[in-house]
Structure formats: structure tokens, C-alpha cells
Amino acid sequence: MAERMVQLLFSVGNLLWLAVYIMIIRVGLRDRTYGMPLLALCGNLSWEANYAFIRHYNMPLSLTSLIWLLLDCAILYTVVRFGPAQFPWLPRWLFFCGLGVMMAMCCVGMEVLIRYFEAGGREAGGNYSGLTQNLLMSALFLSMLVHRRSTSGQSMAIAVCKALPTALGAAAVYLWVKDGGVESSPLLIFLGGSTLVLDMSYVAGVWAVRRSTAAVAAGTPVAATA
């Protein structure tokens, strides 16, 4: 029973991630920007390509990774099309060179990370590397919101749909550990808990920025924080 519930929670979380990617593409095209931090995108592409084409031990995971990879390629298109405008002080050639170097470093780094965690088994490699990438991505989304000081390329729907898979994943891991399907560890608890805190902070941040933007547009003074 617990195993079925774990699979259900992970499946619903994966579907929500598909919705997040689609919304990021749509909002990015609408706002003429990219909606995923560059380092997070490069890390995603590296992890997804790895489990779509190199590590085929789990067919549902490989298929899901391939779908995510294709959607991330669409997000990469928004980076190529609109990315240079976000860095007007950089020549276009330097922006694309930097993006290429970042992508290469992420590919190498992700392979090293997966191999390190695979010392505890194949599934441990996928689980821990995926959770580490998810934590990095959550921190970078929050950083992007702070850097842009607007919700350009972002939305409350994206923020909420991004937080929900994290919460579902945390619940699934809890049941998995309780059922004996995976061994608990301080790192597992840290990765899941920290990602959830960051995702909830991102939801609160998007709400605060939208509220501030609406107040400014309406001519209402925004209270300063000490």
C-alpha cells in the first residue's frame, strides 16, 4: 500500500513539473525573457540527458527525463532568443560563450555527482543527484526573483506548481523511508527540507513582489521595511 502511495505521489509530482515547464515557456515568450535561471537550466539539461540517454535502468524515469529534456530545450530557446538582452553590458558572443562553458561544466559536474552518489547504488545516484539539483534550482529561482525585482518571466502559478512537487516528494520520501524502501540519512532530510523551505519562500517572494508592483501601479505608497 505504501509503495503504491509513493509511486502516486511521485507521478503527480512529475506531472506538475511538466506543467511548470510549459508555463515557464509560455510566460517567457509572453514577457520576452527566460523564466528559468541559467545555471538551473544547464543543470537540468545535464541530469535529464543523463537519465534519458545514458542510464536506462528505469524506463519510466528515462521516458519522463526525455519529456523534461525536450521542454527544457524549449526553455533554452527562450534563453538564446532573449537572454542577451538581460545582460546588455556583455557582447552577444561573450554571453553565448559563457553559456556554453556553463553547460559543459554542468555536464561534467553532474556526471561526477551521479557517480559519487552511485557508490550507494544506482537508485541512490538518481535520487540524491536529483534532489541536489532540485535544491540548487530552488535557490536560483529565489535569487532570480531578487535580482530582477519583478515577476518578469515568472508567475504565482509557476511558484505554486513548483512548490507542490517538492512537498509531494517530501511526503513520498517519508513514506518510502518508513516502509523500508530507502534508508534515511541526514543528507536526505536536509535536501528535502531545505528545498521545501526555499520553494515556500519563493511563493511568498512572488506574492510580495506582485503586491508591491500592484501598489506602485495604483499609486499606493509601499511600506518600507527596517
Side-chain angles (χ1 to χ4, degrees):
M1 183 67 180
E3 184 178 352
R4 287 186 178 181
M5 182 58 67
V6 168
Q7 293 300 325
L8 176 62
L9 291 172
F10 277 131
S11 297
V12 173
N14 289 343
L15 289 174
L16 286 169
W17 268 116
L18 293 178
V20 169
Y21 287 163
I22 292 170
M23 285 188 288
I24 288 175
I25 296 166
R26 184 183 66 82
V27 174
L29 292 172
R30 182 196 68 192
D31 295 347
R32 300 186 64 81
T33 187
Y34 55 88
M36 183 179 290
L38 299 182
L39 183 58
L41 177 61
C42 291
N44 273 2
L45 289 167
S46 301
W47 192 91
E48 290 154 2
N50 208 303
Y51 283 95
F53 301 119
I54 299 174
R55 290 169 167 86
H56 291 289
Y57 67 88
N58 186 317
M59 184 54 65
L61 175 61
S62 295
L63 180 59
T64 302
S65 297
L66 178 60
I67 296 172
W68 285 342
L69 179 65
L70 293 174
L71 291 172
D72 268 331
C73 285
I75 297 174
L76 180 61
Y77 165 76
T78 64
V79 170
V80 172
R81 183 174 178 184
F82 306 121
Q86 298 293 318
F87 303 90
W89 58 90
L90 286 179
R92 286 180 62 88
W93 67 268
L94 188 56
F95 170 82
F96 289 118
C97 283
L99 182 63
V101 170
M102 188 185 299
M103 187 71 247
M105 292 178 66
C106 282
C107 287
V108 174
M110 188 59 69
E111 179 63 25
V112 171
L113 186 69
I114 292 172
R115 288 191 182 189
Y116 175 80
F117 284 126
E118 279 182 337
R122 269 189 322 189
E123 288 195 358
N127 293 335
Y128 279 97
S129 62
L131 287 170
T132 302
Q133 168 60 20
N134 201 23
L135 175 61
L136 173 65
M137 184 160 54
S138 295
L140 290 170
F141 265 90
L142 195 56
S143 176
M144 183 174 71
L145 180 67
V146 172
H147 174 73
R148 289 184 176 176
R149 300 182 181 180
S150 75
T151 56
S152 175
Q154 303 161 84
S155 71
M156 181 57 74
I158 291 173
V160 171
C161 286
K162 185 179 179 305
L164 286 175
T166 301
L168 292 174
V173 169
Y174 170 77
L175 291 174
W176 210 1
V177 170
K178 187 178 179 181
D179 193 48
V182 66
E183 184 178 351
S184 181
S185 72
L187 180 58
L188 188 67
I189 296 170
F190 169 78
L191 290 173
S194 299
T195 303
L196 185 57
V197 169
L198 289 172
D199 281 349
M200 296 307 296
S201 299
Y202 181 62
V203 171
V206 170
W207 177 83
V209 171
R210 288 184 60 186
R211 178 173 175 270
S212 176
T213 302
V216 170
T220 306
V222 180
T225 56

